Amino acid sequence: MNFGRRDMLCFLHGVINLIWPFFAYDLAELASLIIWGYSWTAAVPVTIMLILPIISDAIAIVTAGIAYYRRQSMLSLLSIIFSIAALALYYILRTMMQFSLGWLDPII
């Protein structure tokens, strides 16, 4: 089981894509607050932060698919599965549930 560097990078990209949907909306709000309000200047970073997970998932699926086709590596297959699950998770959390980390109560 000698995993190549590219397979490991595909796997890490898939794991990051699986974690990213929980933070995308909150990072978009943070980007708009840094620009001082919700004016037209805040629309660009907010849009980028909300579209970035979809683009990242698509890139990960394509690159891991190519890596899996060439080497039949289990890490590449896991990256494909994680990225597809992340895309579904992002859709469910953002579109259907309007999820934000601000919903969570502090432990203190």
Side-chain angles (χ1 to χ4, degrees):
M1 294 201 346
N2 185 10
F3 297 117
R5 181 174 183 263
R6 184 168 294 177
D7 295 331
M8 186 58 75
L9 290 175
C10 286
F11 177 72
L12 290 176
H13 193 185
V15 170
I16 290 170
N17 282 341
L18 199 55
I19 296 170
W20 183 257
F22 292 105
F23 299 103
Y25 186 71
D26 296 316
L27 289 174
E29 283 185 15
L30 179 64
S32 67
L33 291 176
I34 290 173
I35 300 176
W36 297 87
Y38 293 98
S39 65
W40 66 271
T41 56
V44 173
V46 169
T47 304
I48 290 171
M49 293 301 288
L50 293 177
I51 292 176
L52 190 63
I54 298 168
I55 295 170
S56 179
D57 287 333
I59 290 171
I61 290 169
V62 169
T63 56
I66 292 170
Y68 182 72
Y69 177 74
R70 290 183 179 169
R71 289 183 291 284
Q72 301 293 316
S73 171
M74 183 59 74
L75 288 178
S76 299
L77 182 62
L78 283 174
S79 177
I80 294 170
I81 293 169
F82 286 169
S83 296
I84 291 172
L87 194 59
L89 181 67
Y90 183 75
Y91 173 74
I92 290 169
L93 288 177
R94 298 293 167 244
T95 306
M96 299 175 72
M97 295 179 59
Q98 302 292 321
F99 177 79
S100 173
L101 289 177
W103 288 3
L104 303 176
D105 292 328
I107 298 173
I108 299 173

